[in-house]
């Protein structure tokens, strides 16, 4: 079924590369110009276009031919777009990972790249654009806009989604070694993302009603501290079956589950806000085909994976019109979240994760720079400390880009999106600039060893 769906998607996206005869993907891309002549057009349309142009302008045959070709090229583009939309609507489960994206990742399928990865990347980037970083503002460290205005205000009025709720998170962190007590910003909730649902028109285009949760990455000081709390803690999301061997990073868990009862905009933990709103939307659209899409950058991708696991572990995605509602996570520059048992449980529950990762991005190697997948097994034999090893979840879309003049771009979300749009060509880097990353990675390794030793 997955192979047939990929074939349909390929046919839809390559139809724009065929006019009068077959053209292979190796010679022409979706962005390549297509030459159209009058001989390629249906006779009826050709005659009408030629007659109209000749009588109105009296121009030369060359002008007539160009105008007719331009008009027909626009019609061809509309047909191609309709074909791509039809393919997306008919194969949306495969696009959401039902077949683990087999045949769609290497190379990255154009429809998966444009309609899914880049599109959801932009919906995550909207969180950064709407986040208020002006200390003089009344909305400092919160969203600058109301729910109805947020997407239009950041240039995404045509995204096809309606924001239904803002989400806030409050990490419960303390400074290391007890210095200065608790962090001054710990326990204070900050705007972390939003929940949105596809409009009727967008639902028809996608082939289902998409419930979207979008998370930004690390910005505040307390969030940075949470990122470095790399000790593994049991998730215990299901009280009836706590599964103590399923462990996740304690900092991400704190951000996801901590309450802020004094918050101006909040009502409970990030977890409670999300479970309440997502279940409300599931119930509201119970007669539709529904998908749950969770997207995030950096720390936000960790929250997206935790939410996906939480929904599936509690069974809140069961009972959809067509059975279990698919849960898909699109992660951009995301770190590892949990141990090997966490990965196994996500796989058992059917939580699909597509990780877009830059090979030069150090965040994608953390936590678990030392204790990771490579240290968990020897010749497929699990070692005694495997439960303490971090493991990535899902399927990876590997990128490779670096700019010597702007080293921080390796983790920048806009750089990720632009690189996907450019086709994923590898970028070069100078040896001198790469040396600056080596001491940083060494420091991270030393820190993890200290945490492992309990220091």
């Amino acid at each position: 079924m997955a192979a047939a769906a990929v074939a349909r998607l390929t046919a839809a996206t390559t139809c724009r590369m065929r006019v009068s005869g077959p053209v292979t993907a190796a010679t022409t891309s979706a962005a390549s110009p297509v030459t159209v002549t009058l001989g390629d057009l249906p006779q009826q349309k050709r005659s009408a276009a030629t007659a109209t142009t000749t009588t109105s302008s009296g121009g030369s045959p060359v002008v007539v031919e160009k105008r007719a070709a331009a008009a027909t090229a626009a019609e061809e583009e509309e047909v191609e777009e309709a074909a791509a939309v039809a393919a997306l609507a008919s194969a949306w489960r495969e696009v959401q990972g039902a077949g683990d994206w087999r045949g769609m990742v290497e190379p990255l399928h154009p429809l998966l790249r444009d309609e899914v990865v880049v599109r959801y990347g932009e919906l995550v980037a909207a969180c950064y654009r709407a986040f208020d970083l002006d200390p003089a503002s009344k909305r400092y460290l919160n969203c600058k806009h109301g729910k109805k205005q947020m997407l239009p205000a950041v240039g995404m009025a045509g995204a096809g989604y309606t924001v239904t709720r803002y989400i806030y998170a409050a990490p419960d962190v303390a400074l290391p070694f007890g210095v200065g007590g608790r962090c001054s910003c710990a326990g204070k909730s900050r705007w972390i993302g939003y929940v949105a649902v596809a409009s009727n028109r967008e639902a028809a285009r996608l082939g289902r009603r998409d419930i979207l949760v979008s998370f930004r990455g690390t910005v505040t000081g307390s969030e940075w501290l949470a990122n470095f709390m790399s000790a593994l803690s049991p998730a215990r999301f299901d009280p009836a079956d706590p599964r103590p061997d399923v462990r996740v990073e304690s900092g991400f868990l704190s951000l996801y589950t901590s309450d802020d009862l004094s918050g101006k905009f909040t009502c409970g933990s990030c977890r409670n806000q999300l479970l309440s709103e997502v279940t409300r939307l599931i119930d509201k659209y119970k007669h539709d085909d529904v998908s749950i899409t969770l997207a995030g950058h950096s720390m936000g991708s960790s929250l997206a994976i935790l939410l996906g696991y939480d929904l599936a572990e509690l069974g809140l995605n069961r009972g959809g019109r067509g059975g279990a509602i698919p849960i898909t996570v699109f992660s951009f520059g995301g770190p590892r979240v949990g141990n090997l048992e966490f990965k196994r449980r996500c796989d058992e529950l059917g939580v699909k994760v597509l990780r877009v990762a830059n090979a030069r991005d150090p965040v994608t190697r953390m936590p678990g720079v030392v204790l990771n997948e490579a240290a968990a097994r020897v010749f497929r034999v699990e070692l005694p400390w495997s439960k303490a090893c971090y493991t990535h979840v899902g399927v990876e879309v590997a990128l490779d880009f670096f700019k010597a003049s702007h080293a921080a771009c390796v983790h920048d979300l806009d750089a990720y999106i632009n690189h996907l749009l450019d086709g994923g060509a590898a970028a070069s880097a100078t040896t001198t600039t790469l040396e600056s990353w080596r001491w940083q990675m060494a420091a991270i390794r030393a820190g993890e060893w200290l945490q492992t030793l309990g220091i």
Side-chain angles (χ1 to χ4, degrees), residues 63-142:
V63 174
V64 173
E65 187 114 352
K66 286 182 178 179
R67 290 177 179 174
T72 308
E75 293 174 0
E76 290 284 341
E77 187 175 348
E78 290 179 4
V79 171
E80 292 157 11
E81 184 177 352
V85 169
L88 177 63
S90 64
W92 67 266
R93 291 184 182 275
E94 284 70 28
V95 172
Q96 292 292 105
D100 293 318
W101 296 285
R102 283 186 291 272
M104 301 183 73
V105 173
E106 293 182 359
L108 187 60
H109 194 284
L111 189 60
L112 181 63
R113 179 194 65 206
D114 299 337
E115 279 292 337
V116 180
V117 181
V118 171
R119 192 160 170 275
Y120 285 118
E122 291 287 358
L123 287 165
V124 173
C127 292
Y128 289 107
R129 295 170 191 150
F131 194 54
D132 195 340
L133 292 171
D134 180 7
S137 172
K138 293 180 180 179
R139 290 179 175 265
Y140 179 51
L141 298 183
N142 288 295

Side-chain angles (χ1 to χ4, degrees), residues 139-164:
R139 290 179 175 265
Y140 179 51
L141 298 183
N142 288 295
C143 185
K144 293 184 283 189
H145 315 286
K147 293 192 291 292
K148 293 183 179 179
Q149 294 80 31
M150 195 273 279
L151 289 176
V154 298
M156 300 195 67
Y161 284 82
T162 300
V163 176
T164 63

Side-chain angles (χ1 to χ4, degrees), residues 147-185:
K147 293 192 291 292
K148 293 183 179 179
Q149 294 80 31
M150 195 273 279
L151 289 176
V154 298
M156 300 195 67
Y161 284 82
T162 300
V163 176
T164 63
R165 183 166 184 169
Y166 283 164
I167 302 301
Y168 300 83
D172 184 16
V173 297
L175 292 173
F177 308 110
V179 178
R182 308 199 70 73
C183 176
S184 60
C185 54

Side-chain angles (χ1 to χ4, degrees), residues 144-404:
K144 293 184 283 189
H145 315 286
K147 293 192 291 292
K148 293 183 179 179
Q149 294 80 31
M150 195 273 279
L151 289 176
V154 298
M156 300 195 67
Y161 284 82
T162 300
V163 176
T164 63
R165 183 166 184 169
Y166 283 164
I167 302 301
Y168 300 83
D172 184 16
V173 297
L175 292 173
F177 308 110
V179 178
R182 308 199 70 73
C183 176
S184 60
C185 54
K188 295 182 180 179
S189 61
R190 306 301 183 195
W191 185 69
I192 198 80
Y194 61 92
V195 182
V197 65
S199 64
N200 290 338
R201 182 176 180 180
E202 185 67 6
R205 193 183 76 85
L206 296 174
R208 85 276 187 190
R209 183 77 61 176
D210 190 38
I211 298 171
L212 166 70
V213 184
S214 178
F215 299 96
R216 64 167 175 81
T218 307
V219 175
T220 69
S222 58
E223 291 164 4
W224 279 109
L225 286 176
N227 288 347
F228 286 99
M229 294 169 59
S230 59
L232 286 164
S233 299
R236 301 183 186 275
F237 287 158
D238 184 0
D241 190 1
R243 297 181 181 272
D245 289 341
V246 175
R247 301 174 186 175
V248 297
E249 202 238 33
S250 58
F252 301 147
L253 184 63
S254 170
L255 192 67
Y256 184 63
T257 58
S258 297
D259 286 332
D260 176 18
L261 301 178
S262 62
K264 180 179 179 182
F265 304 105
T266 61
C267 181
S269 66
C270 173
R271 181 194 184 200
N272 289 343
Q273 297 168 56
L274 287 165
L275 295 183
S276 172
E277 182 63 9
V278 172
T279 52
R280 183 187 74 82
L281 292 173
I282 290 174
D283 183 66
K284 180 177 180 179
Y285 298 105
K286 59 187 175 184
H287 299 300
D288 295 358
D289 284 329
V290 174
S291 63
I292 299 173
T293 304
L294 316 173
H297 171 243
S298 190
M299 176 193 70
S301 69
S302 303
L303 295 176
I305 293 174
L306 284 177
L307 174 59
Y309 165 68
D310 199 2
L311 289 167
E313 188 69 89
L314 295 176
L316 299 179
N317 65 321
R318 297 171 196 158
R321 194 175 81 164
I325 297 171
I327 299 173
T328 307
V329 178
F330 292 103
S331 163
F332 298 87
R336 297 182 180 94
V337 178
N339 64 355
L340 183 60
E341 290 300 319
F342 175 73
K343 176 189 182 303
R344 285 173 176 163
R345 188 58 183 156
C346 286
D347 292 342
E348 289 173 5
L349 294 168
V351 178
K352 304 298 181 180
V353 180
L354 190 68
R355 296 187 304 104
V356 184
N358 178 15
R360 318 266 183 157
D361 186 350
V363 174
T364 62
R365 306 175 195 175
M366 300 186 292
V369 176
V370 177
L371 297 176
N372 55 40
E373 303 93 330
R377 293 187 181 97
V378 174
F379 299 112
R380 298 185 179 181
V381 177
E382 284 191 26
L383 299 175
W385 53 81
S386 62
K387 292 180 181 178
C389 293
Y390 278 94
T391 305
H392 272 303
V393 180
V395 176
E396 179 177 299
V397 175
L399 304 180
D400 189 356
F401 61 90
F402 184 91
K403 287 184 180 179

